[in-house]
Amino acid sequence: FTETDNITAARFRYNYTVGGWIYWLYEFQFYNITTVVNKPSAATMAATSIEEDFAILHGLVTGDGGTDCQMRFLYGPTTSYGNATSWMSPRYTGDTADMRITGLSGGTEYHFLVQINNSAGISNGSGLSWVAAVMAAASVSASSLRFLPWEFW
């Protein structure tokens, strides 16, 4: 073996007895134990704080695959998404990710999903959608106005 073999365990046996005599036997066994890394999994959670021009997206790491992960969101007006947030790391099983996205158009339906990756690959959560809020029009009637002359002086 060499210094680049990444030996992670060793076993050493050393003696036995025959006819009252102790014989020493030196046996070394070296093991390279590799950690199995699987593709991670995540759940897309409902968007919150939905307004006309922003919303907050949420995701949950349901399985990190045995190593640290990164998460991001894909979103857009179709299921082709078209927009991606930056990767957030590190994330592990049970961690959540929240991202505020801006620049939305009121009344538009948006689709999104959480995406997660580690050294074994990338996985997608299920797709969800929401509709950006529409700003309510103000309604003013003449009967609701009251002018007092001293308020303008």
Side-chain angles (χ1 to χ4, degrees), residues 16-73:
Y16 65 96
T17 305
V18 173
W21 292 89
I22 299 175
Y23 295 90
W24 293 92
L25 172 66
Y26 297 95
E27 175 186 331
F28 288 94
Q29 292 178 333
F30 296 95
Y31 302 93
N32 186 356
I33 299 173
T34 57
T35 302
V36 176
V37 176
N38 299 307
K39 284 177 68 173
S41 59
T44 307
M45 300 167 64
T48 60
S49 302
I50 298 169
E51 296 293 335
E52 180 181 22
D53 60 346
F54 74 88
I56 299 176
L57 308 182
H58 306 279
L60 170 69
V61 180
T62 56
D64 60 24
T67 189
D68 58 322
C69 302
Q70 296 178 313
M71 290 178 76
R72 72 177 178 180
F73 294 95

Side-chain angles (χ1 to χ4, degrees), residues 46-58 75 99-110 129-136:
T48 60
S49 302
I50 298 169
E51 296 293 335
E52 180 181 22
D53 60 346
F54 74 88
I56 299 176
L57 308 182
H58 306 279
Y75 67 96
M99 178 66 71
R100 179 182 169 157
I101 57 171
T102 59
L104 306 177
S105 298
T108 302
E109 181 178 21
Y110 288 92
S129 65
W130 84 94
V131 176
V134 177
M135 184 177 287

Side-chain angles (χ1 to χ4, degrees), residues 66-146:
T67 189
D68 58 322
C69 302
Q70 296 178 313
M71 290 178 76
R72 72 177 178 180
F73 294 95
L74 303 180
Y75 67 96
T78 69
T79 54
S80 297
Y81 307 108
N83 300 295
T85 65
S86 58
W87 289 104
M88 298 170 278
S89 63
R91 296 289 192 264
Y92 303 95
T93 300
D95 287 351
T96 59
D98 308 302
M99 178 66 71
R100 179 182 169 157
I101 57 171
T102 59
L104 306 177
S105 298
T108 302
E109 181 178 21
Y110 288 92
H111 301 268
F112 75 105
L113 61 76
V114 67
Q115 194 171 58
I116 186 168
N117 79 17
N118 67 13
S119 58
I122 297 176
S123 300
N124 293 333
S126 58
L128 297 177
S129 65
W130 84 94
V131 176
V134 177
M135 184 177 287
S139 174
V140 178
S141 66
S143 63
S144 66
L145 297 177
R146 186 179 98 179

